[in-house]
């Protein structure tokens, strides 16, 4: 919206009383909050009726709700077309992503089939395609290689058998290795699902919000690097050792370049051609997506053509190409329980994988829910993915999430509901039961190349870094730190390191909040930062201090430091210096070197250098008559006034206080904790005892309730210091000053008692009153 020209600015006038919080609450009849007992809450939550029971059932099984209203004629044709297209992509991506888990490709087909069945019943998104996701597959694969490396399955031998491969006279028991690896992967998948189910039942889906977009962007970019390196060795078909954990990328690259001369040319050529063709056609699909009714299924076409070429030219026997080999036909793997002994070794990795898989899936689901104007339930999504992973983990599958590219195919080809997902599962089942053996001649380098070609979207996230640097450098540092940590330390540890770094930036930003001194735009009730505007004026005798963050134990000291810098003095030091000066004045009056005039002003015996011999005080006449000795005469009770702005009759340097009021703008303060409340009360009292009145403006009702609950108010710090706005406080201060009811901050009174032998009214103990926080005073008390 364009700014209005000056002649079109419309002034307005509001007439209302000056409101402090107590006055406003009284005029508008503030209501006490109704707090229900635990019994009332349980009875309301656990109460059951027919309507509530149906609502609960529909919440647990969303399919009941949308399937009963499914428009068959309008949606079914589109869902069938979308399901067939997505099913072919699911099959090929399942085969390809199995390489990331370091298991046989057939298990990728299982992973593309089983989770769809349970998500159909429990999921709330109509468009996401459930199945393997490269990042979670790689996280599972790193655990698989750690717990089941090749070295655990070496057998001595002089040749190779049916189930073994020979390497320098050592036989690797491939069958045992595959069985153990899929056991590790499926057990981890069950544990991931259990974590997700528990999180969903506890309604803690909000925890994923701590995975900010910069953190997820840096993490997935690092995951793309891991995927690229892991597939590079398959495209080149060079032998490497199994590496996981810290610096695994570096060790893998060293192995690849060490054995680069063993590259299989047939696999390399097939992989490079696949990458180029797939990426080129995907660009065409993206550029002409509005003109092409159905995206070109290039992965399917490339796979079929590559399998045909490999079969016709016998690439394995003639050129030593690495192919898929056996895909069981006509059957599924039998169900098997997870290995309980393995679960304790993979708790941390499983939890991080559960969080990542859910975060990615919900992010994609929210994108399409917003596009098609419906909502998803985050906690129900946790339960849906949790049961999906538990179910598919019992059938030799690995972790299910979603992939943006596969979901984009399902949505762009006309998918309207999860009916398309069921049809895609039927397509995968057809591949498993009838067509799988046709893919046995397919080169693994082609599958690896398909995986690499689908990483473009992840790598393009690097272009976000310059934008983040210009917009918010803290978010940019989160992106870079998470990416670097995930590349160097591994995905699970890197995610944790990135999350800790992100939380650290939040703590730092709240621990050192932006604080400012406000001024008034003349003729308005608008108050802004003095540094940001030229046409702004500071209110004479008043400082307005604003803190733009919550105030709690970590930043209360910084708050006090900035407050001292704003007012220009330390209230504790001012009090001590004034106390010291008053003690000296009191002693000098007792010794007769100073005296108080009838108006209460303190003057020396010789005023302005002229001795008025014509003036004879009662004390002089008493001294001449010999009634009292020097330093032992009665002093009449009189109020002594010290003007702290003028030069003092004693040699004590007292800091100047140029204000009589301080306004704290709490409009941006969202919460206070017990430490902050206690410290604020002490700060207010420290200002009050040097004659500076303190007011708090703009408090939200929640903050006021928190203050009351934490016993913020007492005899000195009263509720009347709260005002609805800064302008209310300023008008009140000006009104009080004009009426003369406000005490002048520059004047301090000292009552001289009749008995001059009385101790001074300011004692050493008073210096400690309300000066330090509770922690320092507790230490002081223990030391006595």
């Amino acid at each position: 919206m364009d700014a209005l020209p000056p002649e079109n600015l419309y002034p307005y006038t509001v007439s209302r009383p000056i409101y402090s919080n107590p006055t406003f609450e009284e005029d508008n009849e503030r209501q006490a909050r109704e707090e229900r007992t635990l019994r009332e809450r349980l009875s309301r939550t656990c109460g059951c009726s027919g309507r509530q029971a149906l609502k609960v059932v529909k919440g647990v099984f969303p399919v009941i709700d949308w399937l009963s209203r499914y428009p068959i004629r309008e949606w079914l044709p589109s869902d069938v077309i979308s399901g067939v297209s997505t099913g072919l992509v699911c099959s090929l991506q399942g085969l390809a992503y199995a390489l990331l888990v370091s298991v046989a490709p057939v298990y990728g087909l299982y992973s593309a089939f089983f989770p769809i069945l349970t998500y159909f019943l429990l999921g709330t998104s109509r468009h996401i395609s459930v199945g393997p996701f490269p990042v979670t597959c790689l996280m599972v694969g790193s655990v698989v290689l750690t717990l089941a490396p090749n070295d655990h399955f070496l057998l001595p031998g002089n040749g190779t058998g049916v189930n073994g491969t020979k390497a320098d006279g050592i036989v690797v028991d491939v069958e045992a290795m595959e069985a153990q690896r899929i056991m590790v992967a499926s057990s981890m998948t069950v544990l991931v699902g259990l974590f997700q189910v528990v999180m969903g039942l506890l309604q803690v889906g909000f925890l994923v919000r701590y995975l900010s977009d910069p953190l997820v962007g840096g993490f997935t970019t690092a995951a793309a690097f891991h995927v690229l390196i892991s597939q590079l060795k398959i495209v080149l078909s060079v032998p490497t050792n199994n590496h996981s954990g810290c610096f695994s990328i570096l060790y893998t690259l060293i192995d690849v370049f060490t054995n680069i001369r063993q590259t299989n040319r047939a696999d390399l050529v097939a992989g490079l051609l696949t990458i180029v063709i797939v990426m080129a056609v995907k660009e065409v699909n993206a550029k002409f997506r509005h003109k092409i009714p159905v995206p070109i299924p290039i992965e399917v076409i490339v796979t079929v053509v590559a399998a045909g070429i490999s079969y016709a030219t016998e690439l394995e026997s003639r050129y030593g190409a690495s192919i898929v080999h056996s895909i069981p036909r006509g059957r599924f793997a039998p169900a098997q329980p997870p290995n309980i002994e393995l679960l304790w070794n993979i708790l941390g990795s499983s939890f991080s994988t559960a969080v990542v898989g859910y975060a990615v899936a919900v992010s994609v689901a929210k994108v399409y829910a917003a596009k098609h104007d419906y909502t998803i339930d985050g906690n129900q999504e946790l339960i849906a993915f949790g049961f999906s992973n538990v179910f598919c983990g019992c059938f030799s599958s690995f972790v299910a999430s979603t992939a943006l590219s596969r979901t984009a195919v399902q949505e762009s080809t006309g998918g309207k509901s999860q009916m398309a997902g069921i049809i895609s599962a039927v397509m995968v089942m057809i591949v498993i039961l009838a067509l799988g053996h046709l893919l046995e001649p397919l080169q693994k380098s082609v599958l690896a190349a398909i995986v690499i070609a689908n990483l473009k979207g992840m790598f393009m996230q690097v272009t976000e870094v310059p934008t983040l640097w210009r917009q918010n450098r803290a978010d940019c540092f989160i992106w870079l730190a998470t990416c670097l940590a995930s590349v160097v330390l591994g995905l699970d540890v890197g995610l944790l390191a990135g999350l800790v770094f992100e939380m650290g930036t939040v703590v730092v930003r709240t621990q050192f909040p932006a604080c400012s001194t406000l001024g008034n735009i003349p003729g308005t009730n608008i108050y802004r930062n003095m540094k940001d505007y030229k046409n702004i004026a500071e209110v004479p005798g008043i400082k307005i201090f604003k803190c733009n963050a919550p105030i709690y134990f970590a930043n209360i000291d910084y708050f006090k430091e900035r407050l001292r810098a704003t007012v220009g003095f330390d209230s504790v030091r001012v009090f001590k210096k004034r106390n010291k000066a008053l003690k000296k004045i009191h002693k000098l009056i007792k010794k007769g070197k100073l005296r108080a005039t009838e108006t209460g002003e303190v003057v020396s015996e010789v005023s302005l250098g002229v001795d008025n011999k014509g003036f004879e005080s009662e004390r002089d006449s008493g001294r001449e008559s010999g009634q009292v000795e020097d330093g032992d005469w009665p002093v009449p009770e009189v109020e002594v006034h010290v003007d702290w702005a003028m030069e003092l009759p004693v040699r004590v340097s007292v800091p100047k206080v140029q204000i009589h009021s301080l306004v704290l703008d709490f409009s941006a303060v969202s919460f206070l904790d017990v430490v902050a409340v206690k410290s604020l009360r002490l700060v207010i009292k420290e200002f009050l005892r040097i004659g500076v009145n303190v007011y708090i403006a703009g408090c939200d009702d929640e903050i006021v309730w928190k203050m009351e609950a934490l016993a913020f108010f007492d005899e000195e710090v009263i509720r009347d210091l709260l005002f609805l706005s800064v302008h209310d406080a300023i008008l009140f201060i000006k009104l009080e000053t004009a009426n003369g009811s406000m005490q002048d901050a520059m004047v301090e009174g000292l009552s001289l008692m009749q008995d001059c032998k009385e101790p001074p009214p300011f004692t050493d103990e008073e210096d400690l009153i309300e000066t330090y926080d509770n922690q320092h005073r507790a230490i002081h008390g223990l030391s006595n």
Side-chain angles (χ1 to χ4, degrees):
M1 182 177 178
D2 296 333
L4 292 173
E7 59 272 14
N8 290 336
L9 295 178
Y10 300 100
Y12 66 92
T13 303
V14 177
S15 178
R16 67 170 177 84
I18 299 174
Y19 273 131
S20 65
N21 275 54
T23 307
F24 180 80
E25 292 169 0
E26 181 180 355
D27 289 353
N28 295 277
E29 300 180 2
R30 176 190 177 190
Q31 297 179 351
R33 289 194 173 184
E34 180 183 358
E35 295 186 4
R36 296 186 180 91
T37 63
L38 179 61
R39 182 177 181 180
E40 291 174 343
R41 293 177 183 176
L42 290 176
S43 62
R44 184 173 182 179
T45 304
C46 302
C48 185
S49 63
R51 181 175 298 178
Q52 288 179 328
L54 180 60
K55 184 178 179 180
V56 170
V57 171
K58 288 184 177 180
V60 176
F61 297 98
V63 63
I64 298 175
D65 186 30
W66 65 263
L67 192 59
S68 61
R69 298 179 287 105
Y70 184 79
I72 297 178
R73 294 184 178 180
E74 291 83 1
W75 284 13
L76 186 58
S78 299
D79 281 340
V80 171
I81 297 173
S82 175
V84 172
S85 303
T86 308
L88 295 175
V89 176
C90 285
S91 301
L92 298 178
Q93 288 190 352
L95 291 171
Y97 294 157
L99 302 179
L100 296 174
V101 188
S102 300
V103 296
V106 65
Y107 298 112
L109 293 176
Y110 298 159
S111 303
F113 172 75
F114 287 108
I116 298 176
L117 305 180
T118 47
Y119 189 85
F120 175 80
L121 300 175
L122 303 174
T124 59
S125 174
R126 301 203 305 254
H127 293 88
I128 65 171
S129 175
V130 182
F133 177 59
V135 175
T136 54
C137 290
L138 190 63
M139 297 177 75
V140 175
S142 65
V143 175
V144 168
L145 293 179
T146 300
L147 298 181
N150 292 344
D151 297 342
H152 290 186
F153 305 95
L154 299 180
L155 299 175
N158 297 322
T160 59
V162 176
N163 298 322
T165 59
K166 181 180 178 182
D168 298 329
I170 302 298
V171 175
V172 178
D173 191 346
V174 177
E175 184 175 350
M177 182 180 67
E178 289 289 346
Q180 181 63 19
R181 286 185 173 181
I182 193 59
M183 175 57 70
V184 173
S186 59
S187 299
M188 181 175 176
T189 300
V190 171
L191 186 56
V192 167
L194 292 176
F195 273 127
Q196 291 175 333
V197 170
V198 171
M199 290 170 65
L201 294 176
L202 295 178
Q203 304 286 296
V204 293
F206 66 90
L207 292 177
V208 181
R209 297 172 188 170
Y210 288 101
L211 301 180
S212 64
D213 289 344
L215 185 143
V216 173
F219 176 76
T220 52
T221 303
F225 278 103
H226 279 278
V227 172
L228 175 64
I229 300 304
S230 68
Q231 299 307 288
L232 180 62
K233 62 184 181 182
I234 298 177
V235 171
L236 297 175
S237 191
V238 295
T240 60
N241 294 321
N242 298 323
H243 302 289
S244 60
C246 298
F247 302 103
S248 59
I249 283 184
L250 179 61
Y251 296 143
T252 303
L253 283 176
I254 292 174
D255 290 347
V256 168
F257 286 107
T258 300
N259 301 317
I260 194 70
R261 294 184 179 180
Q262 303 181 37
T263 300
N264 186 286
R265 296 180 180 179
D267 286 336
L268 177 60
V269 171
L272 293 178
L273 287 175
T274 301
I275 293 174
V276 172
I277 294 172
V278 171
M279 293 185 68
V281 176
K282 281 183 173 291
E283 286 295 322
V284 172
N285 285 339
K287 188 174 182 179
F288 299 99
R289 61 182 180 275
H290 299 296
K291 299 181 179 179
I292 303 176
V294 177
I296 301 173
I298 186 59
E299 290 99 337
V300 177
I301 297 173
V302 168
T303 302
V304 172
V305 172
I309 293 175
S310 176
Y311 177 78
T313 57
E314 299 180 354
L315 291 179
E316 181 190 18
S317 59
R318 297 178 61 181
Y319 300 99
S322 177
I323 63 174
V324 172
H325 283 296
S326 175
I327 296 181
R329 179 182 179 184
R331 63 182 178 86
F332 286 97
Q336 58 180 352
N339 188 335
I340 305 299
E341 297 178 356
L342 292 174
L343 300 183
W344 299 106
N345 299 324
I346 56 178
L347 283 175
S349 300
S350 298
F351 182 76
S352 59
T353 305
V355 172
V356 171
Y358 170 69
V360 171
V362 168
S363 299
V364 175
K366 285 183 177 179
V367 170
Y368 287 98
K371 182 178 179 180
H372 294 276
D373 193 23
Y374 65 92
T375 59
I376 63 169
D377 185 346
N379 291 307
Q380 181 61 27
E381 287 294 295
L382 264 175
I383 296 174
F385 278 102
F387 278 110
S388 296
N389 283 316
V390 171
F391 180 64
C392 69
C394 294
F395 286 91
S396 303
S397 305
F398 45 84
V399 175
S401 180
T402 189
L404 184 58
S405 59
R406 192 169 61 245
T407 301
V409 170
Q410 179 166 318
E411 190 266 346
S412 62
T413 52
K416 304 295 184 182
S417 68
Q418 282 301 322
M419 191 67 72
I422 284 293
I423 296 173
S424 68
V426 172
M427 294 298 299
V428 176
M429 183 179 65
I430 293 174
V431 173
I432 294 173
L433 299 179
L435 304 178
H437 70 285
L438 299 178
L439 299 176
E440 291 180 357
L442 180 65
Q443 293 170 269
K444 289 184 178 180
S445 64
V446 174
L447 295 176
I450 292 175
V451 173
I452 293 174
N454 282 285
L455 296 177
K456 179 188 173 183
M458 294 186 186
F459 281 121
M460 290 303 293
Q461 295 177 119
V462 176
T463 59
E464 298 176 0
V465 175
T467 303
L468 285 174
W469 180 261
R470 291 190 299 268
Q471 294 176 346
N472 190 320
R473 293 189 178 182
D475 288 339
C476 183
F477 286 136
I478 292 173
W479 197 103
L480 294 173
T482 306
C483 182
L484 183 62
S486 299
V487 168
V488 175
L489 304 177
L491 294 180
D492 48 356
V493 179
L495 177 63
L496 177 61
L499 187 59
V500 170
F501 184 84
E502 180 187 48
M503 293 295 102
T505 62
V506 174
V507 171
V508 169
R509 280 183 276 186
T510 57
Q511 188 171 355
F512 303 100
C515 300
S516 57
T517 303
L518 303 186
N520 177 244
I521 304 298
T524 70
N525 63 345
I526 300 173
Y527 295 83
R528 291 292 184 268
N529 193 337
M530 292 285 296
K531 297 180 181 180
D532 295 338
Y533 297 89
K534 291 183 179 180
N535 185 28
I536 195 169
E538 190 172 25
V539 183
I542 305 173
K543 284 287 185 181
I544 308 171
F545 179 76
K546 183 175 183 179
C547 178
N548 295 311
I551 304 176
Y552 63 112
F553 67 92
N555 67 2
I556 185 62
D557 289 334
Y558 181 78
F559 173 87
K560 292 190 287 187
E561 291 175 8
R562 299 304 305 160
L563 181 59
R564 283 194 293 267
T566 297
V567 298
F569 58 85
D570 185 347
S571 58
V572 176
R573 184 169 180 269
V574 170
F575 174 76
K576 289 185 176 182
K577 289 293 185 179
R578 289 185 179 183
N579 197 1
K580 183 177 181 181
L582 290 172
K583 289 178 184 178
K584 289 190 175 183
I585 292 173
H586 181 78
K587 291 180 181 179
L588 291 176
I589 292 177
K590 288 176 60 178
K591 293 180 179 179
K593 296 181 180 180
L594 293 177
R595 60 187 176 86
T597 64
E598 295 178 355
T599 60
E601 296 181 1
V602 177
V603 297
S604 63
E605 287 294 335
V606 180
S607 178
L608 300 176
V610 180
D611 188 5
N612 187 357
K613 297 181 179 179
F615 175 77
E616 183 179 354
S617 65
E618 295 179 3
R619 186 187 62 185
D620 294 334
S621 60
R623 181 184 299 174
E624 292 177 357
S625 63
Q627 295 176 4
V628 295
E629 298 180 359
D630 188 24
D632 194 24
W633 57 85
V635 180
E637 185 175 357
V638 65
E639 185 77 12
V640 175
H641 298 280
V642 179
D643 190 348
W644 299 109
M646 302 298 291
E647 184 178 354
L648 298 178
V650 293
R651 294 183 178 180
V652 178
S653 176
V654 179
K656 305 297 182 184
V657 178
Q658 304 295 339
I659 62 173
H660 55 74
S661 299
L662 171 65
V663 178
L664 303 178
D665 183 359
F666 274 22
S667 59
V669 177
S670 58
F671 74 87
L672 299 168
D673 70 350
V674 61
V675 176
V677 166
K678 291 180 179 179
S679 297
L680 283 174
R681 185 171 59 244
L682 296 179
V683 167
I684 293 173
K685 290 183 177 181
E686 289 168 358
F687 277 103
L688 289 176
R689 69 183 179 181
I690 63 171
V692 177
N693 296 300
V694 182
Y695 304 91
I696 300 177
C699 284
D700 185 76
D701 288 341
E702 291 288 341
I703 298 295
V704 177
W705 275 310
K706 181 63 67 174
M707 288 178 173
E708 293 173 345
L710 296 177
F712 177 73
F713 303 105
D714 55 21
E715 294 83 0
E716 296 180 66
V717 182
I718 58 178
R719 286 177 51 86
D720 288 336
L721 61 82
L722 299 180
F723 284 84
L724 289 188
S725 68
V726 172
H727 198 57
D728 282 299
I730 297 299
L731 292 179
F732 175 81
I733 295 170
K734 289 182 177 180
L735 184 62
E736 291 291 298
T737 305
N739 294 335
S741 58
M742 181 173 291
Q743 183 181 359
D744 189 354
M746 302 304 170
V747 178
E748 177 112 1
L750 174 62
S751 296
L752 299 180
M753 307 307 295
Q754 293 287 348
D755 188 358
C756 61
K757 295 183 180 180
E758 285 286 330
F762 294 91
T763 62
D764 292 336
E765 287 75 10
E766 190 171 0
D767 289 344
L768 295 176
I769 297 176
E770 306 294 357
T771 299
Y772 305 106
D773 58 21
N774 288 348
Q775 180 182 5
H776 294 164
R777 297 200 317 190
I779 295 174
H780 177 76
L782 290 174
S783 64
N784 292 331

